């Protein structure tokens, strides 16, 4: 936790001194604009390893009177702002890391009293003639200082939601914490002594109890980040620049680590990108996060449609999700949508705000979720994967009849809720059927721009498997006289895909609505 009114530059300096630092000081331009207004109460939630603490340290280093950080910020984006020096090191800053406080406080039930005692003790050093010896309430202390001196405070709380997430069963501790937050930030009196409040954690403001305590805060999350979207993670432009410096192919980085769509930005996990650049190896850097163990019981909850939704997303599909019912805690799960919404906040799923769907953002997370399903075995998934593996084997061996029978079987057994009436629903069945391909191939690309049109599905093998597995161009036809393979050739799809692997197979699948039968023909493309 460190000191309260005089946090040094050290914490943010560690980030600046690192081999890779991506400038996110543009966020300060926004906080400068909203401070001392009703919009100056911000709760910015994002997953672990997305730079929450670095951001909190940056805000402290810039605003705190206890710092002398002009040289530190010179050359960074904020230094070009007209009001750069107006706000630089001008404020009393209270900066608490709730996670860090847990141990020195002696447990979660002591956190509120620990923060209050330590902060008031330090405030007395700076304002000895204003605060009486017997004062115990931190909000009252801040109010008295403001009344006597006009001082307004910036309050930064890192990991603000630890007690909401990890101490959900301890109602007494939660109630005390919520009452503390309400006294700090709610009502007319706090507007007198709060210059800016910035909370960061994994969860947005909890509905019901904490909402009444913090409903004056503006929530920016993985569902909607508004004006601070480019500061949630690394943007595509920033990742492209890093690829140039470190000699990585951007297209490959994009396949592995892209996927979070926040507003108009594609956002990347900073931890994954930095590790890739420094170590040069494409892999999942996600397992080290503490939230990993939490998803195993989540995806095994017995809610209707949850497991089938996970299977569909593992296969590359999007699934509808209602994010409005989630209570922003870790105990009030009522249905599969609540679980999926929580996984969005944890970063294991991404959210398409336009179509209101959830999906697995990238290859890194897909690998983690597959590992999670294996931690507590899903019998139906184990059987399904074996059948899917056989389907892939039959495809590579160009056994069209076997492929047609396998797709028919998977459709009947695992997607009985899907009634064919167009090619789009046929494609949903196909993506599920080829689930096992995910260990050798990237997520299947739908509507791949190729030749004179768009190929329905393209499966591109990962680099390490390109000499062993062919690329696949798959075309679907539903009750049409035009055959799928004919369209692949006529529209010259193969030419656009052949460069991705040593071999290329053309797979045409037709479905006859009258007979309810599938037909599959497979040919090898000769380059």
């Amino acid at each position: 936790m460190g000191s309260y009114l005089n946090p040094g530059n050290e914490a943010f300096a560690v980030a600046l001194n690192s081999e890779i630092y991506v400038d996110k000081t543009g966020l300060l331009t926004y906080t400068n604009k909203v401070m001392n207004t009703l919009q100056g109460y911000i709760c910015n939630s994002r997953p672990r390893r997305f730079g929450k603490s670095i951001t909190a340290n940056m805000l402290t280093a810039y605003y705190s009177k206890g710092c002398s950080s002009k040289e530190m910020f010179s050359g960074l984006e904020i230094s070009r702002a007209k009001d750069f020096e107006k706000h630089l090191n001008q404020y009393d800053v209270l900066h608490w890391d709730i996670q860090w406080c847990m141990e020195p406080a002696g447990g979660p039930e002591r956190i509120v009293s620990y923060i209050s005692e330590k902060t008031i003790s330090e405030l007395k050093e700076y304002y000895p003639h204003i605060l009486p010896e017997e004062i115990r309430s931190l909000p009252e202390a801040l109010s008295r200082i403001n009344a006597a001196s006009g001082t307004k405070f910036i309050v930064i709380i890192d990991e603000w939601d630890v007690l909401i997430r990890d101490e959900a069963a301890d109602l007494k501790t939660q109630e005390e914490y919520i009452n503390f937050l309400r006294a700090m930030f709610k009502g007319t009196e706090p507007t007198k002594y709060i210059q800016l409040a910035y909370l960061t954690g994994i969860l947005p403001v909890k509905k019901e109890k904490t909402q009444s305590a913090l409903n004056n805060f503006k929530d920016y999350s993985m569902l909607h980040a508004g004006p601070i979207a480019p500061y949630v993670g690394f943007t595509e432009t920033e990742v492209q620049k890093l690829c140039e410096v470190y000699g990585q192919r951007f297209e490959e980085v994009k396949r592995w680590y892209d996927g979070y769509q926040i507003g108009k930005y594609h956002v990347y996990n900073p931890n994954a990108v930095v590790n890739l650049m420094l170590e040069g190896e494409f892999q999942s850097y996600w397992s080290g996060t503490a939230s990993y163990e939490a998803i195993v019981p989540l995806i095994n909850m017995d809610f209707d449609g949850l497991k089938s939704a996970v299977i569909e997303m593992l296969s590359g599909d999007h699934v509808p999700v209602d994010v409005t019912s989630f209570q922003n805690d870790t105990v009030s799960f009522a249905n599969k949508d609540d679980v999926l919404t929580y996984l969005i906040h944890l970063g294991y799923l991404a959210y398409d705000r336009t179509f209101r769907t959830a999906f697995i953002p990238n290859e890194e997370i897909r690998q983690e979720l597959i590992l999670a399903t294996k931690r507590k075995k899903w019998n139906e998934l184990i059987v399904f994967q074996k059948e899917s593996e056989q389907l892939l084997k039959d495809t590579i061996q160009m056994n069209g009849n076997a492929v047609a029978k396998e797709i028919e079987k998977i459709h009947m057994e695992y997607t009985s809720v899907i009634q064919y009436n167009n090619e789009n629903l046929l494609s949903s069945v196909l993506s599920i059927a080829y689930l096992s391909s995910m260990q050798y191939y990237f997520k299947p690309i739908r509507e791949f721009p190729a030749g004179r049109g768009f190929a329905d599905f393209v499966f591109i093998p990962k680099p390490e498997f390109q000499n062993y597995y062919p690329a696949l161009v798959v075309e679907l036809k539903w009750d049409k006289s035009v055959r799928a393979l004919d369209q692949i050739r006529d529209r010259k799809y193969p030419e656009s895909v052949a460069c991705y692997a040593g071999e290329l197979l053309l797979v045409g699948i037709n479905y006859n609505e009258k007979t309810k039968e599938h037909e599959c023909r497979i040919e090898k493309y000769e380059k």
Side-chain angles (χ1 to χ4, degrees), residues 153-367:
F153 295 84
I154 291 178
V155 180
I156 300 168
I157 307 182
D158 193 7
E159 300 283 4
W160 85 272
D161 59 333
V162 165
L163 298 184
I164 306 298
R165 287 185 283 112
D166 297 347
E167 305 300 325
D170 188 343
L171 299 180
K172 182 179 178 182
T173 295
Q174 277 211 0
E175 191 71 28
E176 182 184 16
Y177 182 57
I178 290 167
N179 288 336
F180 171 71
L181 295 176
R182 180 179 292 112
M184 279 291 299
F185 300 117
K186 188 71 185 294
T188 301
E189 194 61 27
T191 63
K192 298 177 183 178
Y193 61 74
I194 295 291
Q195 182 82 10
L196 174 73
Y198 182 91
L199 277 55
T200 183
I202 291 175
L203 291 175
V205 173
K206 177 174 162 37
K207 295 180 180 177
E208 295 179 347
K209 289 185 178 179
T210 51
Q211 189 172 48
S212 64
L214 299 172
N215 63 0
N216 55 329
F217 275 75
K218 182 64 178 176
D219 264 325
Y220 295 119
S221 71
M222 298 302 282
L223 299 175
H224 173 63
I228 66 174
Y231 310 112
V232 168
F234 287 176
T235 65
E236 199 151 79
T237 300
E238 290 164 346
V239 174
Q240 286 174 328
K241 290 179 180 178
L242 287 173
C243 287
E244 293 173 4
V245 173
Y246 287 88
Q248 293 289 349
R249 290 181 61 245
F250 172 70
E251 294 78 9
E252 197 78 3
V253 177
K254 185 178 179 69
R255 287 196 187 101
W256 268 90
Y257 304 111
D258 181 26
Y260 301 99
Q261 298 173 7
I262 305 179
K264 65 180 181 179
Y265 294 93
H266 279 245
V267 174
Y268 293 66
N269 179 340
N271 178 66
V273 173
V274 168
N275 275 292
L276 167 67
M277 298 302 163
L278 296 180
E279 298 183 17
E281 185 176 351
F282 287 92
Q283 60 171 301
S284 174
Y285 295 99
W286 194 270
S287 296
T289 64
S291 58
Y292 177 71
E293 290 298 330
I295 69 167
V296 178
L298 283 174
I299 62 176
N300 281 286
M301 285 186 169
D302 191 24
F303 289 125
D304 286 345
L306 177 58
K307 289 185 179 180
S308 61
V310 173
I311 290 175
E312 287 183 58
M313 289 186 291
L314 285 172
S315 304
D317 275 349
H318 290 218
V319 298
V321 58
D322 177 7
V323 299
T324 61
S325 66
F326 182 54
Q327 295 298 302
N328 295 345
D329 64 28
T330 58
V331 294
S332 304
F333 297 107
N335 50 51
K336 73 174 179 65
D337 288 334
D338 288 348
V339 175
L340 297 181
T341 305
Y342 185 36
L343 289 172
I344 292 170
H345 288 301
L346 289 174
Y348 284 94
L349 297 178
Y351 181 62
D352 187 319
R353 188 175 171 86
T354 302
F355 295 98
R356 300 178 183 177
T357 57
F359 60 97
I360 296 173
N362 52 48
E363 184 61 30
E364 179 186 37
I365 302 302
R366 181 173 291 100
Q367 288 194 6

Side-chain angles (χ1 to χ4, degrees), residues 384 387 404-420 429 432-433 511 515-518:
F384 179 78
E387 294 178 346
K405 289 179 181 178
E406 283 292 334
I407 291 177
E408 177 106 11
K409 187 173 185 289
I410 288 170
H411 169 229
M412 296 301 293
E413 293 183 2
Y414 297 97
T415 57
S416 58
V417 295
I418 296 179
Q419 300 298 320
Y420 283 167
V429 171
I432 293 172
Y511 177 72
T515 64
K516 308 299 181 186
E517 292 180 348
H518 298 77

